[in-house]
Amino acid sequence: MIIELREFTRVEGNGKAEIVIENGEVKDVRLKIIEGPRFFELLTLGRHYYDVPDLEARICAICYLSHSVASVLGIERAFGVEVPEEIALIRELGLIGELLESHALHLYLLVAPDVFGYPDAIRMATKHGELVKEGLALKAFGNRIRVMVGGREIHGINVKPGGFGRYPTVEELERVEKESEALLRLARRAVRLFAQLDPYGAQARHFVATDGYLWGEKLVSDEEGAFHYTERIEERSLVYSFAKQSRYKGETFFVGALPRLLLKSEMLTPAAKRLFEEHREKLETGYVSYNNLAQAIELVYSLERANEIAKTLLDRGIEGENIPVEPREGEGIGYVEAPRGVLIHHYRIDASGKITYSNIITPTALNHAMMEASLLEEARKLYGEAEEQAMIGRLEETVRAFDPCISCSVHLVKL
Amino acid sequence: MMDKLRLGVFELTDCGGCALNILFLYEKLFDLLEFYEITEFHMATSLSEENHYDVALVTGTVSTQRDLNLLKEARNHSEYLIALGTCATHGSVQGSVELPIREKLKAVYGDDGNPMRALDSKPVVEYVAVDFALPGCPYDKNEVYQVLMDIAKGIEPVRKDYPVCVECKLNEYECVLVKKGLPCLGPITYGGCNAACIRSGLGCIGCRGPLPGEVNPASEYEILKDLGYDDEYIIRKFKTFARWEP
C-alpha cells in the first residue's frame, strides 16, 4: 500500500511524498520533487561572466542574494580577484538581510500556524495578530536591507563582481543601526516560543557548513579539516524526483541553521551565543525540528551582527570604489550560507570571460536525503499509532522544519 | 456587506518570487483582504477547498504535465485570469534555454535523463487565453495591488504602454546607455518597474519583456553594436527574458 501525501503547503515550491507500507509496516518513503526542472547551469553556459550573477539570482526568490553572492564569489575566485573589507562587509550585510527576511517568513508565516493550530498566518492573525505583526516587522527590515544591498526586494542586480552598482548611503546605514537594535526584543521572544516545541523527525549524524559564518573558502563538518565539496559530497539522480540527492561520504547529512550553530557557535555575537548556550543541550541532540529554534537564535545573531556592521561602516566611512575585474582563464567555487544552508556555485571561465562549466548545488538538494530519512523515521513512529490525518500533518511539519526551497533544488548538477 | 471575491494563487514552475511578492505587500495585503478572500495559495495556506475563483493569479512557466493540468484547472474555474510575472507572460530565463527537452534532461540528470515527464518551459499565455498579463521578474508589487483593486471596483485595469526610459527620466536618473555605455534595454522594455536597475547605476536587463508598438529594437541593436558589444552578446541579451528575436 502506498499513502500519498498531497502537495506540501506552506513551503516554497512544489513537492510531495509517498509512504510505502508493506505487511503493516512502513517500508520506505519517497520525497518527490515535482517542480519542473529549470536548467540554470545550461542557461549560464557561454554567457559573459558579468551577466551571470543576475541570472543566477532568478533561481530563487527567497534567497536570491545568496545566489548572487555565491555566483560573484565563484567568478572572483576564478579570476583571482580579492575585494577589500568594505565590499565584504556590505555583502555580509546583504546576506544578513536575507537571513532575517527568510527566517521570519519561515518561522512566523509558515511554522507558527502549526504551533497554534491554524491553516495559515492570515487566519492565525485573528487571535495572534501581535505575533504575525512582529514577524512581518522583522521580515520587512530584512527586505529593506536587501533593497539597499541588492537593489530590489526580489531579484536585485546590484551585487557585481568587484563591488556594487550603488553603495549604501550614511542615512541608510544609520537606519539599519537604529532598527536592528529596536527589533532585538522581538527576536528574543521568537527564541522563547520555538524553544517550547517537542522534537520530531530524525536526529542528524553529520552536519556540514561553510568555514566562515555566512560564507567561506571551504566547507567544514563534524570531522577534522576543511574540504572542498568535490572531496566528500556525491550527488546522484533519482527516478522519482527532479532534484538530485547528495550524500556526505555515503551518508545522509544536514545543512542549515542548526548545523551552523553546532559547528560555528564560537563565531556568534554575544546575545546569540548566550541563547545558544542556554539551549545547547537540546540543539546537540541533532533533531531536525530544532532547526526552527536554531533559526530563531539566528534572528538574534543577524540583528546584532547587522548593528555591528552598520557601526563599523559608519565609523570608517564608505569609499564606494569597485575593484577592477579582468577576465582570465580559471576555476572558482563560491560557498555561501543561504538561509536554509550551504549553497555552492562552481564555475570554469575562459580567457574572454565566458562560462564554460557551471555546477550549482542548493541546500535543499543537499538536505534531500536527510529529509527522506526524517520522514521515514517519523512515519515509522506514527504509523498505526496516530490517526492518518494527524500523521500526515506531522509529516508535513517534518518536511517544513528543513525550510525546503524546492524551486531552488530542481536544476542542479554536472555537465 | 458585499460578498468578497474569491482569489486563487496558482504557482507553476518558477522561483517562487511572484507568489512571494504578494506576501511582500504587508499591510496592503490586509487592504486587499477587505475585498478578497484567498481560497487557494499553496505557499501561504494549507486550506484549499474552493473550486471557483473570481480572480486567479497564475505564476511561472508550464514545464511539466502537472503545471499544464493546474493551469487548465485555474482557467476552467476562474472568471478573470491574470498571467503574473515574466515566466507566465514571456517564459523568462528558464524559457530561454534553447535545447530540445530530451537533451536538456540528459545534460543535467545524466545519460539516462530523467524518466519523469518534463515539457519545454513555456509561458502561460501560450496555452490559455488570459484576461490580463502583468510582466516583471519580479513584477512591481504595487502594480499587482492596483490591478486587483481595479478589478474589485469593477474597473478594467490599465496596461502600461511606455518603456522603462519614461520612469527613468521621471526619476531624473542619469542615462547609463548614453553616459556610461552600459548595455541598457530600457528604451525597448515595458515600463512599470520604476527603473530599478538604473537606480543602481546599472543597465536595464529587460526583465519585463519587450514593449510592442512603436519602439525600435533595430536601432537599440545598432546602438549596442556601436558601443562595441558583439552580435552574440546582444542577441542573448534580447532573448534572455522574453525569447525575443531582435
Side-chain angles (χ1 to χ4, degrees):
Chain A
M1 181 177 78
I2 290 177
I3 301 177
E4 186 155 280
L5 272 62
R6 64 171 184 162
E7 286 188 26
F8 304 129
T9 57
R10 281 184 279 132
V11 298
E12 199 283 309
N14 306 311
K16 59 184 183 182
E18 274 180 4
I19 304 162
V20 184
I21 313 278
E22 262 180 40
N23 306 322
E25 276 179 27
V26 177
K27 178 95 192 306
D28 201 6
V29 167
R30 290 186 207 118
L31 179 65
K32 298 170 133 183
I33 302 296
I34 51 169
E35 179 103 15
R38 298 176 62 226
F39 305 117
F40 269 86
E41 287 91 343
L42 298 176
L43 177 72
T44 53
L45 283 188
R47 294 259 175 186
H48 191 257
Y49 78 88
Y50 186 81
D51 293 334
V52 167
D54 296 344
L55 297 177
E56 306 285 38
R58 264 81 190 170
I59 293 173
C60 179
I62 301 182
C63 53
Y64 87 81
L65 211 83
S66 301
H67 281 284
S68 324
V69 173
S71 179
V72 161
L73 291 178
I75 291 165
E76 287 174 352
R77 276 177 198 149
F79 296 159
V81 170
E82 288 209 25
V83 298
E85 196 195 9
E86 174 179 300
I87 291 174
L89 282 173
I90 298 172
R91 282 178 188 166
E92 188 185 344
L93 191 54
L95 291 177
I96 284 170
E98 189 147 286
L99 210 69
L100 283 165
E101 173 273 323
S102 179
H103 283 4
L105 170 77
H106 179 66
L107 293 173
Y108 292 85
L109 300 186
L110 308 183
V111 180
D114 288 329
V115 177
F116 296 102
Y118 289 90
D120 57 53
I122 294 167
R123 283 154 185 98
M124 187 179 90
T126 50
K127 262 210 169 154
H128 302 276
E130 207 52 39
L131 190 71
V132 174
K133 274 190 199 151
E134 290 182 8
L136 290 178
L138 285 165
K139 195 168 146 53
F141 176 60
N143 259 345
R144 279 199 292 281
I145 297 180
R146 288 214 297 185
V147 174
M148 181 180 91
V149 177
R152 281 208 263 195
E153 278 184 338
I154 297 175
H155 300 336
I157 29 57
N158 196 40
V159 179
K160 291 288 177 193
F164 300 94
R166 169 191 176 276
Y167 282 76
T169 62
V170 169
E171 294 72 36
E172 285 173 327
L173 289 169
E174 281 172 349
R175 205 172 153 195
V176 169
E177 190 192 359
K178 219 167 74 191
E179 290 185 39
S180 55
E181 226 164 70
L183 290 168
L184 207 52
R185 190 177 48 87
L186 312 188
R188 285 171 184 277
R189 194 142 57 205
V191 175
R192 280 203 295 281
L193 173 65
F194 289 97
Q196 295 165 12
L197 303 187
D198 292 329
Y200 49 82
Q203 287 171 281
R205 279 211 311 261
H206 298 291
F207 302 95
V208 172
T210 62
D211 56 0
Y213 201 81
L214 285 179
W215 66 63
E217 304 275 323
K218 283 188 167 192
L219 298 176
V220 289
S221 68
D222 33 336
E223 270 182 83
E224 287 295 300
F227 64 98
H228 276 301
Y229 81 97
T230 44
E231 294 162 35
R232 295 187 199 164
I233 292 175
E234 255 186 316
E235 287 191 290
R236 61 185 176 115
S237 290
L238 301 172
V239 293
Y240 56 85
S241 171
F242 280 124
K244 290 192 175 185
Q245 253 190 18
S246 299
R247 308 249 166 197
Y248 171 84
K249 298 174 101 175
E251 296 192 41
T252 59
F253 66 107
F254 190 16
V255 299
L258 181 63
R260 280 196 287 269
L261 289 190
L262 292 174
L263 295 171
K264 298 184 279 198
S265 64
E266 77 286 355
M267 296 180 204
L268 292 173
T269 47
K273 202 170 197 167
R274 281 197 297 277
L275 287 164
F276 171 74
E277 291 302 338
E278 193 184 315
H279 300 290
R280 180 195 272 270
E281 227 169 282
K282 251 185 195 177
L283 297 166
E284 281 181 345
T285 58
Y287 278 106
V288 294
S289 63
Y290 284 136
N291 202 41
N292 293 323
L293 173 58
Q295 287 187 331
I297 295 175
E298 281 197 334
L299 288 177
V300 173
Y301 167 77
S302 304
L303 291 168
E304 282 187 299
R305 184 69 188 137
N307 191 269
E308 278 175 15
I309 294 175
K311 276 202 174 91
T312 309
L313 289 170
L314 285 166
D315 283 349
R316 63 208 294 283
I318 299 259
E319 284 178 27
E321 290 289 325
N322 283 356
I323 297 300
V325 175
E326 287 300 325
R328 68 173 199 209
E329 200 181 325
E331 179 168 0
I333 308 177
Y335 294 108
V336 162
E337 289 282 356
R340 47 195 62 67
V342 172
L343 168 66
I344 302 163
H345 279 232
H346 184 180
Y347 306 113
R348 274 182 222 124
I349 310 179
D350 70 14
S352 71
K354 281 187 183 158
I355 306 285
T356 58
Y357 167 92
S358 127
N359 188 25
I360 298 157
I361 309 181
T362 65
T364 299
L366 296 173
N367 276 337
H368 192 185
M370 192 69 227
M371 275 190 253
E372 266 186 357
S374 284
L375 280 172
L376 184 62
E377 187 132 332
E378 201 62 24
R380 283 193 171 143
K381 224 182 289 169
L382 296 174
Y383 183 69
E385 296 293 317
E387 297 268 326
E388 190 166 304
Q389 270 318 307
M391 174 174 91
I392 288 172
R394 178 41 67 92
L395 291 175
E396 252 200 84
E397 287 169 34
T398 307
V399 170
R400 217 173 271 136
F402 286 89
D403 191 5
C405 188
I406 291 172
S407 300
C408 270
S409 70
V410 289
H411 41 76
L412 351 153
V413 175
K414 278 172 207 100
L415 294 171
Chain B
M1 201 190 133
M2 214 180 69
D3 276 349
K4 287 186 183 181
L5 294 170
R6 279 168 297 213
L7 177 71
V9 181
F10 297 86
E11 205 190 329
L12 312 182
T13 292
D14 65 5
C15 73
C18 289
L20 186 69
N21 215 8
I22 295 166
L23 300 178
F24 284 179
L25 281 167
Y26 302 116
E27 63 274 17
K28 279 188 165 176
L29 179 62
F30 290 94
D31 293 345
L32 277 179
L33 293 174
E34 300 282 318
F35 298 92
Y36 289 93
E37 184 186 357
I38 296 178
T39 50
E40 164 70 43
F41 190 174
H42 205 72
M43 186 195 274
T45 180
S46 301
L47 272 193
S48 174
E49 49 201 24
E50 292 291 331
N51 61 3
H52 174 84
Y53 307 91
D54 293 294
V55 181
L57 301 173
V58 185
T59 80
T61 54
V62 176
S63 302
T64 59
Q65 194 57 44
R66 168 210 170 265
D67 290 340
L68 189 54
N69 296 345
L70 192 64
L71 173 62
K72 285 181 177 162
E73 191 188 303
R75 179 66 279 183
N76 290 340
H77 296 283
S78 64
E79 299 293 326
Y80 198 100
L81 188 142
I82 301 174
L84 187 60
T86 306
C87 280
T89 61
H90 295 86
S92 200
V93 289
Q94 68 210 28
S96 73
V97 182
E98 290 170 351
L99 266 181
I101 183 73
R102 213 170 283 182
E103 283 176 41
K104 285 194 273 194
L105 285 170
K106 198 173 161 186
V108 171
Y109 296 97
D111 283 342
D112 303 328
N114 187 301
M116 291 167 70
R117 279 187 77 185
L119 309 170
D120 267 316
S121 298
K122 283 190 183 153
V124 161
V125 295
E126 285 194 24
Y127 285 99
V128 297
V130 304
D131 299 289
F132 197 79
L134 202 176
C137 182
Y139 59 88
D140 187 284
K141 60 183 179 179
N142 294 313
E143 210 180 343
V144 78
Y145 174 80
Q146 192 56 50
V147 166
L148 288 173
M149 278 301 190
D150 284 349
I151 294 170
K153 291 170 183 170
I155 305 165
E156 182 59 20
V158 180
R159 187 156 185 182
K160 302 257 162 67
D161 60 353
Y162 52 77
V164 170
C165 291
V166 170
E167 287 168 342
C168 180
K169 293 293 148 278
L170 285 172
N171 280 296
E172 299 181 3
Y173 297 143
E174 188 174 67
C175 178
V176 294
L177 183 66
V178 176
K179 292 275 171 64
K180 287 197 198 166
L182 290 177
C184 180
L185 299 187
I188 54 171
T189 300
Y190 257 120
C193 57
N194 206 17
C197 296
I198 301 98
R199 175 177 181 266
S200 285
L202 300 163
C204 163
I205 57 179
C207 79
R208 291 175 59 89
L211 179 68
E214 289 171 29
V215 289
N216 189 346
S219 121
E220 168 87 15
Y221 196 94
E222 285 311 312
I223 293 170
L224 293 177
K225 278 211 78 157
D226 288 348
L227 288 171
Y229 296 98
D230 66 44
D231 287 314
E232 195 199 334
Y233 183 82
I234 302 170
I235 290 169
R236 279 212 156 165
K237 197 114 192 145
F238 274 43
K239 278 184 177 176
T240 299
F241 289 92
R243 302 176 300 152
W244 195 23
E245 303 287 342

